[in-house]
Amino acid sequence: DQQVKQNSPSLSVQEGRISILNCDYTNSMFDYFLWYKKYPAEGPTFLISISSIKDKNEDGRFTVFLNKSAKHLSLHIVPSQPGDSAVYFCAASLYQGGKLIFGQGTELSVKP
Amino acid sequence: EPEVTQTPSHQVTQMGQEVILRCVPISNHLYFYWYRQILGQKVEFLVSFYNNEISEKSEIFDDQFSVERPDGSNFTLKIRSTKLEDSAMYFCASSGSGQGKYYEQYFGPGTRLTVT
């Protein structure tokens, strides 16, 4: 099931700079997209989401952008902090209450 | 802040044995899910549960698996006869409280299942 893809397995960023994590999807019927952060041996933690009818959603240092024509979404973290170092997953859902389909994850490392 | 809890944190079992993984979802949530993550792989969906019945299940969720909500707070995943390939982290999640919140799934810390 390759409907959601994160093509970069890792990303390294300097503290204070912008982190940009990318995600592509193939199913144009996805209704909602979400980003999760995961530390080793813990469950995914919900970060931010966006409805398919929007193109941007912002929450503090986190902004998610959705480009439906390109079937692409991205998560921007500004400014990046060492505590942001974790694996980030994008996920998509077809309908409310439906399953989440996850990407493979991108490991973000923010260096002091 | 309300959170999803799971027990046990780690379960070791022998092949062929039955295991029950337990979860307490967030109290006013309506949808409940089980996912798993095999080491080094994606988080993958197993089953969703709504209104006291399974609403969707994946190909992985065969006759060896079952879910139950035995009371108003617990949500369990049973594997009847475990196989080596069932070794994974199992995550419970819940969603559904207020306008637009039904998509946002909140995950528990996981149960690491090791089948020997």
Side-chain angles (χ1 to χ4, degrees):
Chain A
D1 188 339
Q2 294 290 310
Q3 295 186 74
V4 179
K5 279 190 181 179
Q6 293 173 258
N7 291 317
S8 300
S10 63
L11 174 68
S12 184
V13 168
Q14 206 68 28
E15 181 180 6
R17 300 288 192 113
I18 184 170
S19 296
I20 300 176
L21 298 113
N22 294 303
C23 180
D24 297 297
Y25 62 95
T26 55
N27 191 341
S28 57
M29 299 301 291
F30 284 136
D31 195 36
Y32 215 79
F33 301 90
L34 305 94
W35 283 94
Y36 286 84
K37 175 180 178 180
K38 188 179 181 302
Y39 294 114
E42 293 185 14
T45 300
F46 170 70
L47 270 180
I48 191 169
S49 61
I50 187 166
S51 163
S52 61
I53 62 173
K54 299 192 174 180
D55 53 23
K56 179 182 173 181
N57 188 26
E58 201 170 344
D59 184 2
R61 295 187 298 117
F62 302 92
T63 304
V64 56
F65 295 93
L66 176 62
N67 182 335
K68 285 186 70 176
S69 60
K71 296 194 180 70
H72 178 84
L73 65 154
S74 60
L75 174 68
H76 293 210
I77 306 174
V78 183
S80 301
Q81 298 171 355
D84 295 330
S85 297
V87 178
Y88 289 77
F89 291 94
C90 68
S93 180
L94 289 166
Y95 52 90
Q96 65 178 21
K99 67 183 179 187
L100 294 180
I101 299 169
F102 282 85
Q104 303 93 318
T106 296
E107 184 170 9
L108 174 66
S109 175
V110 181
K111 301 193 183 308
Chain B
E1 189 173 318
E3 57 183 22
V4 177
T5 59
Q6 289 185 244
T7 53
S9 56
H10 191 190
Q11 173 93 46
V12 181
T13 190
Q14 288 192 325
M15 199 166 50
Q17 296 295 304
E18 175 182 287
V19 294
I20 298 176
L21 310 184
R22 292 185 164 80
C23 168
V24 179
I26 293 172
S27 63
N28 59 351
H29 281 185
L30 301 175
Y31 295 88
F32 314 109
Y33 314 83
W34 284 100
Y35 293 82
R36 76 175 185 189
Q37 186 180 30
I38 294 169
L39 192 63
Q41 297 187 21
K42 285 188 183 189
V43 176
E44 52 187 356
F45 168 78
L46 292 177
V47 66
S48 57
F49 194 85
Y50 171 73
N51 203 23
N52 283 319
E53 60 183 23
I54 290 174
S55 49
E56 188 176 3
K57 59 183 180 181
S58 72
E59 295 165 355
I60 304 164
F61 194 88
D62 61 21
D63 293 344
Q64 293 301 312
F65 291 87
S66 62
V67 288
E68 198 176 40
R69 188 152 162 84
D71 52 43
S73 58
N74 291 284
F75 180 50
T76 61
L77 174 69
K78 183 194 290 187
I79 310 175
R80 266 180 266 284
S81 177
T82 50
K83 307 184 189 81
L84 293 175
E85 54 264 36
D86 293 329
S87 295
M89 278 291 281
Y90 286 80
F91 297 108
C92 174
S94 67
S95 71
S97 176
Q99 181 76 20
K101 296 294 185 185
Y102 294 95
Y103 290 97
E104 295 172 6
Q105 297 182 23
Y106 292 84
F107 285 74
T111 293
R112 177 168 297 284
L113 177 64
T114 302
V115 182
T116 62

